Amino acid sequence: MRFVICGAGKVGYSIADYLSRETNSITIIDKDPALIEKITSDLDVNGLVGNAASPEVLSNAGLAEADMIIAVTYTDEVNMVACQVAHSLFNVPKKIARVRSQDFLNPSWTNLFSRDHMPIDVIISPEVEVAKAIHRRLMIVGATEVIPIHDNKAFLIGVICQEDCPILNTPLAQLRSLFPDVSAEIVSIIRGGQAFVPQAKTQLHAGDEVYFVSEAGSVERAMKSFGYSGERTGRTVIIGGGNVGFETAQLIKNSSGGKNLTVIEQDKKRAKFLSQNLDDTLVLHGDGLNPEMLREASINKAETIIAVSNNDETNALSALEAKQFGCKRAMALVTRGSYANLLLSINIDAIISPQDITVSKILRYVRRGRIKAVTNLRNSFAEFIEAEASESCRIINTPLRDLDIPDEIHISAIIRDENFIMPNGDTVIRPGDFVVIFALEGFGTTVERLFSVDVDLF
């Protein structure tokens, strides 16, 4: 496919990095020559310095032959105009824009982005999506990742195996007999920084990061099998009251009220805004790295700290400091993918990556075939995919054990007529099934081909 990406910042770089790993033609535009120089030296992409909203610049980028424009500059108006130009002058089939301002996202103005006005096919608000991802993790104690499947029919959940995990050193083949009432399946393990799809004889070790698929009704019992139990009852402290912090606070308020919620914000004007717009929430003006400020927030009594300032180091250090004060659980927003493994190894419980979340939102529209949803997992170590099987798919009507599917791809679950099925070697995929697949890095296109029509697969 041919892509034009507007914006070579962290999000644009992450998207280009992912797409360049496959056979795509990519041109990226940015007004900053230094960013273009870096991305073209690091990745197999074409770069162009210029205004991404300019018809001349877009034409020089080859937009007339592009299958998709992805506009993710730091300026909403540039992203929207770029998509308008792509539609009006170049008839680009798919247009995606990042829009951050809540003024544009107000439901009252949704008609603005209709085909007759400003025809943008997909609006992405990273701050809103990040807040939703944080809230999902917050609702399941112990989870490092929570991905909904098929309208919350099931979930992909990440968890760290602690020293007291009840199922350490037990072959995975025995888990179903040990926990017959738990409808869940381990689909991947990260051990020593390396991800792999486990086999029946694989055993879990302390420190492993495990990803498993569970039917919604089995999530609580599955978490108990890993040694995590209990409901959220304690105080939550948010460090950073920017767009992500504000959106997260609103989600927490709407689901459980704001009386056990504290927000620490360093900017005085922003802190005043938060106090005026977050009823029943304690807003403190100060530095989240200041021990006295953390004590004022009663961090020693907090269940969770969520560090979402605009600085990775501040988020990491404030999360670690809170754990030292006695906070039970720490989440940190980190924009540098290289930090993730390091921070998880030093007592931070969950890493929030805006780039991964944004890329995941876009991948759904990049993947072809009958792909319904895609999640890009931590720095692209794997994709989690939901696809619909059609009459023409070559994987239907054949037992899974007889399909020539690489070991790096795990058929994790099937949803048939709203029923959740944990597959085995005898399971047969039928037309109309929604199939949940876990694919390690580099195998997303293989899954795409599995669900494409009239492709010679095997």
Side-chain angles (χ1 to χ4, degrees):
M1 295 179 69
R2 293 179 177 270
F3 296 89
V4 172
I5 300 173
C6 303
K10 290 179 179 178
V11 171
Y13 187 102
S14 295
I15 296 166
D17 182 21
Y18 181 88
L19 294 176
S20 66
R21 300 175 192 182
E22 301 174 0
T23 55
N24 296 306
S25 173
I26 302 159
T27 300
I28 190 158
I29 304 169
D30 200 284
K31 62 183 180 181
D32 187 337
L35 290 178
I36 291 297
E37 182 179 357
K38 174 174 174 50
I39 200 168
T40 52
S41 63
D42 290 353
L43 307 176
D44 183 18
V45 300
N46 300 311
L48 186 62
V49 177
N51 178 5
S54 163
E56 183 71 20
V57 171
L58 290 169
S59 177
N60 292 338
L63 193 60
E65 292 78 39
D67 299 293
M68 184 181 298
I69 182 172
I70 303 172
V72 289
T73 74
Y74 289 113
T75 306
D76 291 349
E77 291 80 1
V78 170
N79 297 337
M80 292 189 291
V81 171
C83 288
Q84 179 71 68
V85 172
H87 173 79
S88 301
L89 299 183
F90 299 103
N91 197 30
V92 177
K94 186 70 70 174
K95 299 161 288 292
I96 297 176
R98 177 170 72 171
V99 178
R100 304 172 68 186
S101 172
Q102 295 305 303
D103 290 340
F104 292 120
L105 298 174
N106 189 318
S108 301
W109 319 127
T110 52
N111 195 42
L112 172 66
F113 302 110
S114 68
R115 188 169 184 81
D116 293 333
H117 297 103
M118 188 173 289
I120 302 174
D121 300 293
V122 183
I123 297 289
I124 295 176
S125 173
E127 290 83 359
V128 172
E129 297 301 325
V130 169
K132 290 178 180 177
I134 292 171
H135 189 250
R136 288 195 298 266
R137 290 168 171 85
L138 193 62
M139 293 299 102
I140 300 178
V141 176
T144 62
E145 180 68 87
V146 179
I147 305 297
I149 302 168
H150 203 68
D151 296 327
N152 299 322
K153 184 73 178 177
F155 294 90
L156 172 73
I157 296 177
V159 65
I160 302 289
C161 290
Q162 304 294 345
E163 294 284 352
D164 58 353
C165 175
I167 56 176
L168 294 183
N169 306 314
T170 303
L172 299 189
Q174 296 181 17
L175 295 185
R176 285 193 180 181
S177 59
L178 291 173
F179 302 97
D181 60 336
V182 178
S183 184
E185 175 88 3
I186 294 174
V187 299
S188 183
I189 298 170
I190 301 179
R191 179 179 297 161
Q194 299 296 316
F196 62 95
V197 174
Q199 305 299 317
K201 63 182 180 181
T202 303
Q203 299 182 21
L204 299 180
H205 299 168
D208 284 352
E209 184 174 4
V210 177
Y211 286 80
F212 68 91
V213 173
S214 173
E215 187 174 16
S218 287
V219 169
E220 184 176 350
R221 287 171 301 202
M223 291 301 292
K224 284 182 179 178
S225 72
F226 284 95
Y228 295 94
S229 61
E231 298 180 356
R232 284 195 65 253
T233 56
R235 174 172 293 278
T236 299
V237 177
I238 297 176
I239 306 282
N243 289 339
V244 172
F246 180 61
E247 292 288 340
T248 302
Q250 287 188 309
L251 289 174
I252 294 171
K253 272 175 44 62
N254 293 339
S255 63
S256 56
K259 293 183 179 180
N260 283 330
L261 177 62
T262 299
V263 181
I264 300 175
E265 169 56 41
Q266 192 165 16
D267 182 81
K268 187 175 182 179
K269 184 178 179 181
R270 183 65 179 179
K272 183 177 180 180
F273 166 84
L274 295 170
S275 65
Q276 292 172 341
N277 290 274
L278 293 171
D279 297 334
D280 297 324
T281 299
L282 176 62
V283 178
L284 300 176
H285 170 229
D287 183 358
L289 279 175
N290 187 324
E292 291 303 318
M293 180 59 60
L294 291 174
R295 289 190 185 98
E296 188 177 346
S298 300
I299 199 68
N300 61 312
K301 299 178 182 177
E303 181 179 78
T304 307
I305 183 171
I306 303 170
V308 289
S309 77
N310 292 326
N311 185 281
D312 285 358
E313 287 77 13
T314 296
N315 294 337
L317 292 173
S318 59
L320 289 171
E321 194 171 9
K323 291 293 286 279
Q324 289 179 344
F325 272 108
C327 182
K328 297 177 182 177
R329 187 181 184 198
M331 301 185 191
L333 185 147
V334 175
T335 60
R336 301 181 195 177
S338 58
Y339 274 22
N341 288 335
L342 172 64
L343 296 180
L344 285 172
S345 70
I346 57 174
N347 210 26
I348 291 180
D349 302 282
I351 302 301
I352 313 299
S353 168
Q355 289 93 331
D356 284 347
I357 292 167
T358 304
V359 170
S360 296
K361 194 75 175 178
I362 292 171
L363 281 182
R364 175 179 179 181
Y365 304 95
V366 172
R367 287 283 174 233
R368 289 168 288 191
R370 301 176 70 86
I371 306 299
K372 301 301 180 183
V374 179
T375 299
N376 183 56
L377 294 171
R378 185 144 51 79
N379 204 27
S380 302
F381 90 86
E383 285 182 42
F384 190 62
I385 301 168
E386 183 180 336
E388 184 180 6
S390 70
E391 293 279 359
S392 301
C393 288
R394 302 291 181 87
I395 61 172
I396 64 170
N397 302 327
T398 303
L400 293 183
R401 65 163 48 91
D402 295 333
L403 294 175
D404 185 17
I405 297 177
D407 291 340
E408 292 81 1
I409 293 175
H410 186 282
I411 304 295
S412 308
I414 296 170
I415 298 172
R416 178 179 298 155
D417 299 326
E418 300 305 311
N419 294 315
F420 182 84
I421 300 171
M422 297 301 302
N424 56 43
D426 296 323
T427 302
V428 174
I429 297 172
R430 301 175 184 171
D433 284 352
F434 287 89
V435 185
V436 178
I437 307 106
F438 192 98
L440 293 181
E441 180 182 359
F443 287 85
T445 51
T446 303
V447 175
E448 184 180 294
R449 291 194 297 270
L450 289 173
F451 289 87
S452 294
V453 177
D454 295 329
V455 175
D456 186 13
L457 299 176
F458 310 116

